[in-house]
Amino acid sequence: MQLSPIASAHDTQTPWMGGVASNGGVRVLDAHEVLFREGDETSGFYEVLSGALRAYKIFSDGRRQIVSFAFAGDIVGFGHGEAYRFDCDALGTTRVRAVPKSSLLRAMRERPELGEKLLELAGGQVATMQDLSILLCRKSAMERIATFLMTMAMRHPGGTAGQVLPLPMCRVDIADYLGLTIETVSRNMTRLRAMGVIDLPTRGSFVVRDLERLRELADGDETVH
C-alpha cells in the first residue's frame, strides 16, 4: 500500500518543482485548520513543507472517510478537476507552499520534463486509490493496520531499526482511513504491542520491533505469534 512518496522539502521546493513561481507564498496552518474544502475552485496545488495533512469526505449521514494523508514533500490538490473533491485540513502545525495553476502551466511550457513528472504523480495517486480499495475490500482488520504501520515506517529510511517514528494521526483518523472502528484499531494496536511487533512509547509515535512479523501480518499471516 502506498500513501504517496515522501521527500524532504524543508525550506526549498522539491527538485522537479524548482523554477515554478509560488505567488501564494508559504502558509502556516494550525491543527485542524482547513486548507481547502470540497467544492472550492482548484486555483492551484500545495506543496507540504512540514507537518501533515489529511484529505477526507464527509457523507450526508455524518460519516467520514479519510482518503489520504500527505507529508513533507507531497503535493496536494492535484487531479481534482475544476473543484476540489474533498476537504483537506492539517493534523498539526503544518507549512505549505501554494503553487498557482497558472504558474505550473507556464513552467510546463518552458520545461517539458515537468509534464512527465506530473504524469508520474497522477499515476501514483491512481495506484494509491487502488491500494486503498483493496485494503478496504479484501483485508482483515489486522492486515489493514499492519499494512498501514508498515507503510508509515517505510517512509523513513532506516526507520525500521527500533527508531521512534512519528504517527501524527490519532486512532480515530486511522479508523476512518482504514474503514474500521476506533475500538478495533485500539484492540489490534494493543495486540501488536503485546506480540512484540511494535511499541507505542508516546501518543503520536511508534516503534517497529519486528519488521518481518509486521510484513507477514500485512500479507495475511495472522498465525504469527
Side-chain angles (χ1 to χ4, degrees):
M1 177 185 172
Q2 179 181 348
L3 294 179
S4 67
I6 186 169
S8 180
H10 302 295
D11 289 325
T12 59
Q13 294 171 318
T14 46
W16 66 272
M17 293 289 289
V20 179
S22 300
N23 299 332
V26 174
R27 178 178 171 186
V28 179
L29 303 172
D30 294 327
H32 311 305
E33 185 174 351
V34 173
L35 179 61
F36 54 79
R37 291 199 179 278
E38 180 181 1
D40 289 349
E41 180 184 356
T42 52
S43 57
F45 319 108
Y46 297 91
E47 177 188 6
V48 183
L49 302 179
S50 63
L53 300 169
R54 62 187 168 195
Y56 56 92
K57 172 82 173 180
I58 301 292
F59 296 98
S60 58
D61 60 2
R63 289 177 300 155
R64 182 183 70 162
Q65 175 66 54
I66 294 180
V67 296
S68 65
F69 297 102
F71 306 92
D74 290 344
I75 304 296
V76 298
F78 181 73
H80 283 246
E82 295 301 318
Y84 293 115
R85 299 173 56 209
F86 311 115
D87 293 340
C88 182
D89 67 5
L91 289 172
T93 302
T94 301
R95 295 169 61 246
V96 299
R97 176 184 283 117
V99 182
K101 188 183 298 185
S102 59
S103 297
L104 188 58
L105 292 174
R106 183 167 58 253
M108 287 175 60
R109 287 192 293 268
E110 297 171 355
R111 297 174 53 201
E113 70 273 14
L114 286 179
E116 297 179 9
K117 294 297 183 180
L118 286 174
L119 284 175
E120 292 178 11
L121 178 61
Q125 290 189 350
V126 170
T128 297
M129 291 297 102
Q130 290 173 338
D131 288 342
L132 181 58
S133 177
I134 293 172
L135 191 74
L136 296 178
C137 295
R138 295 297 182 184
K139 290 200 170 188
S140 69
M142 175 59 80
E143 290 167 0
R144 297 182 200 187
I145 294 168
T147 300
F148 178 77
L149 291 175
M150 190 173 71
T151 304
M152 291 295 296
M154 298 306 291
R155 295 179 68 88
H156 301 270
T160 58
Q163 180 181 339
V164 177
L165 302 173
L167 195 66
M169 63 288 296
C170 65
R171 294 190 181 184
V172 172
D173 290 331
I174 296 173
D176 286 351
Y177 181 70
L178 297 177
L180 302 170
T181 65
I182 185 173
E183 292 81 9
T184 299
V185 171
S186 296
R187 182 171 63 251
N188 281 281
M189 295 275 275
T190 299
R191 181 185 170 197
L192 286 170
R193 182 172 58 182
M195 293 166 61
V197 178
I198 65 168
D199 196 8
L200 301 167
T202 62
R203 177 173 293 186
S205 69
F206 75 111
V207 177
V208 178
R209 296 298 184 192
D210 192 332
L211 180 64
E212 186 57 33
R213 296 175 88 181
L214 187 62
R215 180 180 292 111
E216 288 176 344
L217 288 166
D219 289 340
D221 183 1
E222 294 197 43
T223 63
V224 178
H225 297 292

